[in-house]
Amino acid sequence: MDFRLKVFYSVATNLSFTKASKELFISQPAISKHIHELEVQYKTPLFDRTGNRIVLTRAGELLLSHTNTLLAAYRQLDFEMNLLTDNVCGELRLGASTTIAQYVLPPILSSFVRKFPDIRVSLLNGNSHDIEKALRDGKITLGLVEGYARQSSLHYTPFMKDELVVITHTGSKLAHYEELTLEQLCTLPLVLRENGSGTLAVLESALGEHQIKLSHLKVLMQLGSTESIKLFLENSDALAIVSVRAVARELMSGVFKVIDVTDFSAERMFSFVQLMGQSGGLEESFMRYTETYK
């Protein structure tokens, strides 16, 4: 990677030539020279200088965005090359809650096993409680769960954000709605995930912020997977609340539509979960590998 971009990145993130000089162990005149060369190359200032303060110009912000991407790619390159040259082999026993296992992990796992064929990968599927229990029982060594519930004996590492949305089939009698109030939502037939699922836990927490309980909803049915909810929805006049990641294809193809709910959002974080004190190994390597998919 062009060293001048490393210099630019250091100056841009510190907003200081002095701090960049100390960080990179080169003189401040050398820092200024590298920045000047980039400004000449791109024929535009990268920083506005006011007294002792500097701020990024629009061109500087654009260059920083691309530099972030390049640095991440180089870090991933180093990681994968080191993993290959270390002749890594062994078994990676994963467990993931349903939404993650069905809609997030498959492309990541496909890429991972193609690059590292000597690593045997297995994936256990269940709801968040199932995965945490499997981890404690030693059936898996790394889990991915959704929702807010946390066990004190386990360690959680954030992985990816998700959002729950209200959907209906575009052929449903409810498809004329573009937006609902929470009060209206409580009166319409709903299909939800089963008790114990991370999706339901997040919904329950988000509704609780508005003093609404699940018992206040008109729940038509609870089903054990998002796929069964989608199939049910295609043949009924009902609403469902599911991960937006689970219905991305159907939304693009026009099978389902999202109905906004006024002043309401239900967001969550997908998280890696490990036994407390566990670190290193293939599990740590896989967690680092997934960084590029965020």
Side-chain angles (χ1 to χ4, degrees):
M1 182 175 179
D2 190 333
F3 184 70
R4 294 176 303 175
L5 287 179
K6 291 186 177 179
V7 172
F8 166 76
Y9 179 81
S10 182
V11 175
T13 52
N14 288 297
L15 290 177
S16 167
F17 282 69
T18 303
K19 289 180 180 178
S21 173
K22 292 177 180 177
E23 187 173 86
L24 298 174
F25 302 103
I26 60 176
S27 68
Q28 197 164 323
I31 295 283
S32 299
K33 176 176 176 290
H34 287 304
I35 297 299
H36 176 69
E37 287 176 358
L38 284 174
E39 291 178 328
V40 169
Q41 178 180 340
Y42 294 117
K43 301 181 179 65
T44 183
L46 299 173
F47 297 95
D48 281 331
R49 299 160 176 84
T50 306
N52 293 327
R53 292 180 64 253
I54 61 169
V55 294
L56 285 163
T57 62
R58 287 183 64 186
E61 289 175 353
L62 178 62
L63 184 60
L64 178 59
S65 173
H66 285 289
T67 303
N68 274 324
T69 302
L70 287 169
L71 286 171
Y74 270 91
R75 284 193 296 269
Q76 189 68 14
L77 172 63
D78 285 342
F79 165 67
E80 291 185 21
M81 291 300 292
N82 288 331
L83 206 55
L84 276 176
T85 54
D86 285 345
N87 295 317
V88 173
C89 60
E91 184 179 9
L92 179 62
R93 290 181 290 138
L94 299 173
S97 53
T98 309
T99 300
I100 302 171
Q102 289 185 329
Y103 307 108
V104 178
L105 273 183
I108 300 176
L109 290 177
S110 174
S111 171
F112 186 80
V113 298
R114 187 169 61 249
K115 291 180 179 178
F116 311 110
D118 293 330
I119 299 176
R120 299 186 306 279
V121 181
S122 61
L123 176 62
L124 176 72
N125 182 15
N127 65 36
S128 294
H129 289 173
D130 295 334
I131 298 307
E132 289 167 338
K133 184 177 186 303
L135 192 61
R136 291 193 301 270
D137 292 346
K139 294 178 181 178
I140 60 173
T141 52
L142 178 64
L144 274 156
V145 295
E146 54 204 64
Y148 298 118
R150 294 291 181 261
Q151 303 290 323
S152 59
S153 60
L154 303 175
H155 176 69
Y156 298 82
T157 304
F159 167 51
M160 179 185 287
K161 284 186 178 179
D162 184 39
E163 180 183 7
L164 303 187
V165 291
V166 176
I167 62 166
T168 193
H169 189 264
T170 49
S172 163
K173 294 177 182 178
L174 302 176
H176 68 277
Y177 285 109
E178 296 298 331
E179 190 169 6
L180 295 169
T181 63
L182 274 171
E183 289 74 17
Q184 287 175 305
L185 182 66
C186 291
T187 67
L188 297 173
L190 272 170
V191 186
L192 302 177
R193 282 289 303 277
E194 81 285 6
N195 293 332
S197 76
T199 299
L200 193 70
V202 171
L203 176 62
E204 189 171 16
S205 175
L207 289 170
E209 294 178 9
H210 298 269
Q211 290 73 53
I212 296 174
K213 298 180 180 179
L214 288 176
S215 59
H216 295 161
L217 303 178
K218 188 177 179 181
V219 179
L220 189 61
M221 187 171 292
Q222 289 182 260
L223 295 170
S225 75
T226 303
E227 285 302 303
S228 57
I229 288 177
K230 290 195 289 186
L231 287 171
F232 184 93
L233 215 58
E234 287 182 21
N235 298 280
S236 70
D237 294 312
L239 305 174
I241 301 177
V242 296
S243 162
V244 70
R245 297 182 183 276
V247 289
R249 291 184 180 180
E250 290 86 353
L251 292 175
M252 290 185 67
S253 64
V255 174
F256 296 139
K257 65 173 287 187
V258 171
I259 301 175
D260 292 327
V261 180
T262 310
D263 299 325
F264 178 75
S265 67
E267 296 183 342
R268 62 180 170 182
M269 179 68 73
F270 293 151
S271 298
F272 287 107
V273 57
Q274 298 171 281
L275 293 174
M276 196 68 75
Q278 177 187 349
S279 62
L282 285 178
E283 292 74 24
E284 193 74 27
S285 296
F286 181 75
M287 289 168 64
R288 286 183 58 194
Y289 183 83
T290 63
E291 286 289 323
T292 55
Y293 287 86
K294 290 186 180 182

